[in-house]
Amino acid sequence: MALIVQKYGGTSVGSVERIQAVAQRVLKTAQMGNSLVVVVSAMGKTTDGLVKLANQISTNPSRREMDMLLSTGEQVSIALLSMALQELGQPAVSLTGAQVGIVTEAEHTRARILHIQTHRVERHLDAGKVVVVAGFQGITSTEELEITTLGRGGSDTSAVALAAALRASCCEIYTDVPGIFTTDPRLVPEAQLMEEITSDEMLELASLGAKVLHPRAVEIARNYGVELVVRSSWTDDPGTRVISPMPKPRSLQDLEIARPVDGVEFDTDQGKIALLRVPDRPGVAARLFGEIAHQALDIDLIIQSIHEGNTNDIAFTVSKNVINRAEAVAAAIAPALRSSNNPEDGEAEVMVDRQIAKVSIAGAGMIGRPGVAAQMFATLSSAGINIQMISTSEVKVSCVIDADDCDRAIALLCQTFEVNHSPLHQNRIVESSVEQQGKISQSSALSPQHSAPPVRGVALDFNQARLAIRHIPDRPGMAAQVFGLLAEKNISVDMIIQSQRCRVVNGIGTRDIAFTVAQADAAEAKAALEKLAPSLGCGEVLVDTAIAKVSIVGSGMVGQPGVAAQMFEALSQHQINIQMITTSEIKISCVVAENQGVTALQAIHAAFGLAGSQKIQVPA
């Protein structure tokens, strides 16, 4: 007999008829001999209605009272579903988050789960009852026993956390779509339903705007090895399995407050090639990386900075054993990349640095914690280590530094993030032991007939804004100050790109830094940085909200040359100019103009042959 946790969203329980349909599905699962915990959201648009009521009373309601108000929505759902099950003859009991014992930090409207006291749930399960739990909510461990809510995606998070705490066989997430698609089927009707996806891939897609699962839920599943299945509430189709690696033993205390960094990694077998002053027009990146792919050269990091005048900088890293070939390709292409008719733009120039190292911090616990990257930058700054390139993903931050600084950087990062193992005596570690185990487990976990393709999904995000700080002095500590300030404001940063071109201003070498944040945070971020600018000695702070970020994700792109070139070529064929590029091991993201976002998504999805044979109809 298996223990299964099921979660039903607001649409699935949006009416009496739908609640009764959910009850029938739950009953069927229970009659197969399974023990069941069912987590439900508030009915339909209940939460939106409660927020509207609060705003009619107060223009700035307190976060505590909002938690008191919003937590009532799920109580309606759990009571009605329990009644429906009882009407079918299935013993059931409804429990609020507090009654279950979901203990959270004392942070209203965005609390993280500390631990779950499972004895009450287990007692009801042993009595043969289905336990219906209110998602999205918990209670503090203080004497006041304050009700808290978990923020966006809270019911997903509740369900997966319960599955981890109860050591359930799996956690089924029921929604209004049949599973996880290669892209948004509302934008690409030919999007293909995936049978399986790794949690690393799902983490990236969830963070890039795929709304089927929240990143926090995927993070817990990854940390504790919970098998997730995303299924439709309306059919019996098997849905999509999210495969997590075999986890290391991990305490269920501080369940969501785990140490953010699991490993510190380095790679000294890299060289950097930068093309400065390449034309800012469609097709340039496609031409460069197309030729590199033609030479079968595998690229690690790629960045393209914001444009200055009519030109951009593009930089990438390759293994040292192929850097001469990569340099030759870049040098051959550079003369053909004439900037424009403006001689002041200058000609494209190739710069090569063979004495670099890539240092990285990795861990699923850094999701949604804006201070982690800033802490890494501050650690390097404290040792006088200058950062040459930055690459970010949901679970990793990488910096390119001078090779001579690598040993000190690794030692300091291990100390800062309390990572016990230090790989100082090895020349190269691509993954820490934790990360490497995860990669091996996830690769082998996919079914043999599903060998990982280079790209599993394409995501589009319209909710980002780009900020650029011009002419920041090129010395250690600048990135630490910038992103430390944003972390203090609780502003999460996504893409971070530092220009490769050095411009001398008042006798001081300077560079530009560009990054993306949520549009809702853009004004606050700009105001904070404008106050900081005089002390940094930098130039103006620019904001652009008319952007879209299109990304490809796939663990199969590792070690496969040509994936980036294929993406860039798809954009070039539609005359879509790339404004920024950043990469991680399993993700490539490009910023394009907002009005070209959907076309970019459709072009890339088609270029990688991700379309299915059937068109999917998804509720609006």
Side-chain angles (χ1 to χ4, degrees):
M1 182 174 67
L3 170 57
I4 297 173
V5 176
Q6 295 182 342
K7 179 262 177 179
Y8 294 90
T11 305
S12 302
V13 294
S15 66
V16 168
E17 293 75 21
R18 289 185 174 182
I19 288 174
Q20 291 171 329
V22 167
Q24 290 285 355
R25 183 182 291 275
V26 171
L27 176 65
K28 182 178 178 180
T29 307
Q31 288 176 336
M32 295 170 64
N34 299 300
S35 296
L36 268 176
V37 175
V38 181
V39 177
V40 294
S41 300
M43 292 177 64
K45 300 293 185 181
T46 298
T47 301
D48 293 341
L50 293 172
V51 171
K52 186 175 180 180
L53 284 174
N55 291 333
Q56 289 174 353
I57 296 292
S58 171
T59 56
N60 186 29
S62 79
R63 286 164 51 191
R64 179 191 183 276
E65 300 308 327
M66 287 301 294
D67 277 356
M68 291 291 288
L69 176 65
L70 298 184
S71 63
T72 63
E74 282 72 20
Q75 293 185 47
V76 175
S77 302
I78 60 173
L80 292 175
L81 181 55
S82 294
M83 293 176 191
L85 286 166
Q86 291 164 7
E87 282 295 303
L88 296 174
Q90 170 62 51
V93 59
S94 63
L95 298 175
T96 66
Q99 290 172 318
V100 167
I102 299 176
V103 179
T104 75
E105 59 183 349
E107 187 73 36
H108 287 292
T109 72
R110 56 188 182 202
R112 286 180 177 260
I113 298 173
L114 296 174
H115 60 272
I116 300 177
Q117 299 164 352
T118 59
H119 56 274
R120 186 170 182 178
V121 172
E122 290 167 339
R123 188 172 72 247
H124 287 305
L125 291 172
D126 290 342
K129 296 179 181 178
V130 171
V131 181
V132 184
V133 177
F136 179 64
Q137 61 183 251
I139 194 168
T140 65
S141 59
T142 61
E143 293 182 2
E144 289 80 7
L145 299 179
E146 290 287 322
I147 291 175
T148 56
T149 62
L150 307 181
R152 192 173 74 84
S155 291
D156 286 356
T157 304
S158 299
V160 182
L162 275 165
L166 293 166
R167 294 178 172 81
S169 300
C170 71
C171 179
E172 299 176 342
I173 305 292
Y174 287 89
T175 181
D176 57 355
V177 295
I180 300 165
F181 289 88
T182 51
T183 194
D184 187 344
R186 297 173 179 86
L187 299 176
V188 183
E190 298 82 10
Q192 187 174 355
L193 179 68
M194 290 184 274
E195 294 181 14
E196 296 177 345
I197 187 171
T198 68
S199 59
D200 278 341
E201 292 168 329
M202 191 64 236
L203 267 176
E204 296 287 5
L205 287 174
S207 71
L208 292 167
K211 298 176 181 177
V212 177
L213 283 173
H214 193 273
R216 282 171 63 186
V218 183
E219 174 193 5
I220 297 171
R222 183 182 186 274
N223 285 344
Y224 291 94
V226 175
E227 180 178 320
L228 282 175
V229 184
V230 179
R231 303 180 63 182
S232 169
S233 299
W234 323 124
T235 72
D236 291 325
D237 294 341
T240 304
R241 294 171 63 233
V242 180
I243 312 294
S244 292
M246 185 67 67
K248 289 185 66 178
R250 184 186 292 263
S251 171
L252 287 165
Q253 296 292 318
D254 293 336
L255 196 146
E256 272 201 285
I257 317 292
R259 190 171 59 194
V261 174
D262 289 331
V264 175
E265 309 164 11
F266 73 88
D267 186 352
T268 55
D269 184 28
Q270 293 217 348
K272 180 180 71 172
I273 297 178
L275 273 79
L276 310 185
R277 295 182 294 278
V278 299
D280 181 37
R281 62 172 183 249
V284 171
R287 183 170 182 179
L288 169 62
F289 292 102
E291 185 58 33
I292 288 173
H294 182 69
Q295 299 292 327
L297 304 179
D298 194 19
I299 303 287
D300 184 11
L301 301 182
I302 303 173
I303 65 166
Q304 177 180 302
S305 62
I306 54 171
H307 66 85
E308 184 171 344
N310 296 312
T311 65
N312 272 320
D313 300 339
I314 298 178
F316 58 94
T317 61
V318 294
S319 297
K320 285 182 176 177
N321 64 337
V322 299
I323 193 169
N324 289 339
R325 292 167 60 198
E327 180 185 8
V329 171
I333 288 178
L337 300 178
R338 299 294 176 185
S339 304
S340 65
N341 295 325
N342 184 1
E344 293 183 4
D345 289 335
E347 299 301 335
E349 175 187 355
V350 179
M351 295 179 61
V352 180
D353 188 347
R354 292 173 171 80
Q355 299 300 316
I356 65 165
K358 182 179 74 172
V359 295
S360 308
I361 55 173
M366 66 177 67
I367 295 172
R369 299 182 186 177
V372 178
Q375 194 174 4
M376 179 187 191
F377 303 153
T379 299
L380 298 177
S381 167
S382 67
I385 297 172
N386 203 29
I387 299 171
Q388 300 180 26
M389 295 171 68
I390 299 169
S391 171
T392 60
S393 76
E394 278 298 291
V395 295
K396 182 177 287 189
V397 180
S398 299
C399 295
V400 170
I401 60 175
D402 190 280
D404 291 340
D405 293 326
C406 183
D407 287 359
R408 287 191 301 133
I410 292 295
L412 287 167
L413 291 171
C414 285
Q415 180 180 358
T416 297
F417 293 105
E418 299 178 355
V419 175
N420 294 325
H421 62 281
S422 171
L424 284 174
H425 301 295
Q426 302 180 40
N427 180 49
R428 183 182 183 193
I429 283 196
V430 178
E431 309 287 350
S432 70
S433 59
V434 174
E435 192 85 359
Q436 185 70 21
Q437 289 172 10
K439 295 274 180 167
I440 293 170
S441 300
Q442 294 206 32
S443 175
S444 60
L446 288 173
S447 301
Q449 67 269 30
H450 298 292
S451 57
V455 175
R456 300 300 306 277
V458 187
L460 180 64
D461 188 352
F462 283 116
N463 298 315
Q464 299 240 329
R466 180 181 61 213
L467 283 86
I469 312 173
R470 297 290 192 184
H471 309 319
I472 295 181
D474 185 26
R475 59 174 179 260
M478 295 296 100
Q481 291 188 59
V482 168
F483 297 107
L485 174 64
L486 296 177
E488 290 175 6
K489 303 289 185 181
N490 202 37
I491 296 174
S492 292
V493 175
D494 184 17
M495 301 171 68
I496 303 174
I497 295 176
Q498 183 171 266
S499 71
Q500 296 303 293
R501 200 179 318 179
C502 189
R503 179 181 291 274
V504 177
V505 177
N506 297 326
I508 299 173
T510 68
R511 299 185 190 272
D512 299 339
I513 290 183
F515 56 92
T516 57
V517 299
Q519 283 187 4
D521 293 329
E524 183 181 3
K526 183 175 187 290
L529 292 172
E530 285 177 336
K531 290 182 180 179
L532 181 66
S535 64
L536 292 181
C538 61
E540 61 183 334
V541 179
L542 306 174
V543 177
D544 185 358
T545 58
I547 64 168
K549 183 179 73 172
V550 61
S551 308
I552 57 175
V553 172
S555 56
M557 70 174 67
V558 177
Q560 288 203 30
V563 177
Q566 194 172 349
M567 179 184 188
F568 303 154
E569 178 61 26
L571 297 175
S572 172
Q573 287 180 358
H574 288 76
Q575 290 298 300
I576 296 173
N577 197 32
I578 300 172
Q579 300 179 17
M580 294 169 67
I581 301 171
T582 187
T583 66
S584 68
E585 278 88 343
I586 64 169
K587 178 184 71 174
I588 303 172
S589 295
C590 296
V591 168
V592 300
E594 182 180 37
N595 61 2
Q596 294 181 309
V598 174
T599 302
L601 174 76
Q602 295 168 340
I604 293 168
H605 191 269
F608 286 100
L610 298 178
S613 58
Q614 296 180 341
K615 291 189 176 183
I616 304 296
Q617 297 293 326
V618 178

